[in-house]
Amino acid sequence: MSYTYAQLKTAIQDYTENTETSFVTNLSTFIKNAEQRIFKIVDLEVFRKNATSTLTQNDPYLSVPTDYLASFSLSLTNSSVKTFLLQKDVNFLQEHSPNASTTGTPKYYAFFDIDNFIVAPTPDSNYAVELHYYYRPASLTAGADSGTTWLSENAPNALLYGSLVEAYTYMKGEPDILGVYEKQFTEAISRIKDLAEARENSDAYRRGLPDRPRT
């Protein structure tokens, strides 16, 4: 089973039996909130991306991709040799390199602000860099009613029940019903986490098939 954007909106209204105008207007918000909740709970390989850029001589800043959520690694290439920078706090970098005019081959990087990373020491040349990061995919709500996303096709229950939690919270619904939706969401998330934290990161050749107790 999977959902298009239109099908998910209809499902939310069917489950809640609510077609009130302001509720319908907020359907996209419920879905986006559910998506963001899933992205923050589960680390899926499918939401990793690589981006290449260049560190500019005498400039310690590097632009953050617009869809950036978190870093996995930042590497620098110097004379065909790739080196991985160590991620540190901004304060560490400023203590390590208090004078931004002192240049060298960068060893550290930090998230400086919403638009920039900062590296230390300040680059003494132009260096090719590669950022491996966890990104924010386009929302299901950003496309047409007939559109789908990875979540709507591969994690439809998590997306549905996450949206229902948001919708029923908006309605100030009965706590017991909200609890049912939350429980269903949690169960759906556990199945995605099993994929993300076990199956995606291992294979049967290295670890064998999962050993589950007999009942």
Side-chain angles (χ1 to χ4, degrees):
M1 180 188 71
S2 64
Y3 288 112
T4 64
Y5 182 26
Q7 289 170 336
L8 182 57
K9 288 188 290 185
T10 298
I12 295 170
Q13 293 176 79
D14 288 346
Y15 272 77
T16 58
E17 297 182 334
N18 192 339
T19 58
E20 190 267 328
T21 301
S22 64
F23 180 84
V24 173
T25 300
N26 280 285
L27 286 172
S28 62
T29 300
F30 305 150
I31 295 169
K32 284 187 286 188
N33 287 349
E35 290 171 329
Q36 292 304 312
R37 187 178 179 190
I38 294 170
F39 296 149
K40 291 177 181 177
I41 294 174
V42 186
D43 177 13
L44 285 161
E45 294 280 353
V46 71
F47 297 137
R48 295 189 182 195
K49 182 186 285 189
N50 277 38
T52 57
S53 187
T54 302
L55 284 171
T56 304
Q57 184 178 7
N58 299 324
D59 183 358
Y61 299 103
L62 178 69
S63 295
V64 173
T66 56
D67 58 358
Y68 172 89
L69 284 179
S71 299
F72 291 107
S73 66
L74 177 64
S75 62
L76 171 153
T77 300
N78 184 12
S79 300
S80 301
V81 177
K82 177 176 286 190
T83 303
F84 287 88
L85 279 64
L86 298 177
Q87 186 175 23
K88 298 288 186 177
D89 183 78
V90 172
N91 295 331
F92 177 93
L93 270 67
Q94 292 175 337
E95 182 176 10
H96 176 272
S97 302
N99 188 348
S101 64
T102 301
T103 62
T105 303
K107 296 180 180 179
Y108 308 103
Y109 79 103
F111 187 73
F112 184 74
D113 60 29
I114 195 170
D115 296 314
N116 297 282
F117 295 111
I118 186 171
V119 300
T122 299
D124 58 358
S125 182
N126 295 339
Y127 293 103
V129 292
E130 183 176 14
L131 176 68
H132 185 47
Y133 67 103
Y134 183 47
Y135 77 99
R136 182 186 296 105
S139 171
L140 179 64
T141 65
D145 276 350
S146 59
T148 61
T149 62
W150 190 93
L151 284 180
S152 74
E153 292 182 337
N154 296 279
N157 284 349
L159 189 53
L160 170 63
Y161 285 107
S163 300
L164 287 172
V165 169
E166 297 292 331
Y168 215 63
T169 300
Y170 173 85
M171 293 169 58
K172 300 177 177 61
E174 295 295 329
D176 56 338
I177 301 298
L178 184 60
V180 170
Y181 291 153
E182 185 67 45
K183 180 175 182 294
Q184 292 293 332
F185 175 74
T186 300
E187 291 178 357
I189 285 293
S190 69
R191 290 191 287 271
I192 306 176
K193 288 177 71 68
D194 178 57
L195 170 68
E197 298 170 8
R199 301 179 191 276
E200 278 193 340
N201 297 315
S202 63
D203 60 27
Y205 176 75
R206 294 293 182 186
R207 298 190 181 184
L209 295 173
D211 185 16
R212 303 186 187 281
R214 295 179 182 272
T215 55

